[in-house]
Amino acid sequence: MNNEDRTDSPTPSHGAATPTPQELRDQVKHTRDELGQTVEALAGKTDIKARAKEKTDSVKSQAVQKAALVSDQIREKAGQAAQMAKDKTPDPLREKTAQTAAQVRESATTAVQYATEKTPDSLVDKAGQAVTAARVNRIPLLVFGAAAVVFLLVRRGRGHRR
C-alpha cells in the first residue's frame, strides 16, 4: 500500500502502523470541515432576527392562504344564500319586482330629462364648475365634510343630554 492509496481515507488505518503525515493532514482537513459545518449550523440557530423573519413569513403565508380560503367559502355561501332566496321567492313577486325596477328606472330617466330641460344654462355651468372644483379639491372637501359631520354629531349628542 503506497501513500496515494492512504490519502483516500480520512481516518488512519487501525493497524499497528502509525498514521502518515498525509493521513494526519487529511484527518485535520476532515475535522475542520465538520467543525465549520457545525459552527454554521449553530450560527444559523442563534440568528434570532433571521429566524423571526422566517417565522413571520411562514405565518403571513399561512394567514394569506386561510384568508383566501375563508373568502372563497363566504363567496360560495353568499351565492348559495342568494340562490336559495331566489328559489324561495314566488314567481309573481319576482315579476312584480322586475316591473317596479323598470318603472323606477323609467321615472328616473324622465326626471333627469325634465331637470335638464328646465334648468337654466347658467346654473348648469355653475354646477359644472362646482363639480370640477370638488374633483380638484377632493381631499380638503372630504376632510371638511367629515369635520362637519363630527361637529353635528357632537352638537346633537350634547342636545340630548340636557
Side-chain angles (χ1 to χ4, degrees), residues 1-15 17-31:
M1 194 180 216
N2 60 23
N3 279 345
E4 292 175 2
D5 292 337
R6 292 182 188 168
T7 59
D8 293 342
S9 170
T11 58
S13 58
H14 293 290
T18 57
T20 65
Q22 184 60 41
E23 287 178 330
L24 289 174
R25 279 188 216 101
D26 291 344
Q27 206 175 23
V28 167
K29 182 178 185 267
H30 180 71
T31 303

Side-chain angles (χ1 to χ4, degrees), residues 130 133-135 137-147:
R135 284 186 182 145
N137 300 309
R138 181 175 296 167
I139 293 175
L141 187 61
L142 290 174
V143 170
F144 177 76

Side-chain angles (χ1 to χ4, degrees), residues 21 35 44 48 69 80 85 88 93 108 113 130-134:
L35 183 59
I48 295 171
L69 179 64
Q80 289 172 351
K88 289 188 177 189
L93 181 58
Q113 289 174 348
V131 167
T132 302

Side-chain angles (χ1 to χ4, degrees), residues 45-84:
K45 288 184 178 182
T46 59
D47 188 359
I48 295 171
K49 187 176 181 180
R51 291 180 69 195
K53 184 177 180 346
E54 289 174 6
K55 184 66 174 175
T56 301
D57 292 345
S58 172
V59 169
K60 184 178 179 182
S61 174
Q62 290 174 356
V64 167
Q65 289 173 350
K66 286 182 182 180
L69 179 64
V70 169
S71 176
D72 290 345
Q73 290 173 344
I74 289 172
R75 201 173 290 121
E76 182 180 332
K77 289 188 183 210
Q80 289 172 351
Q83 185 62 42
M84 189 182 336

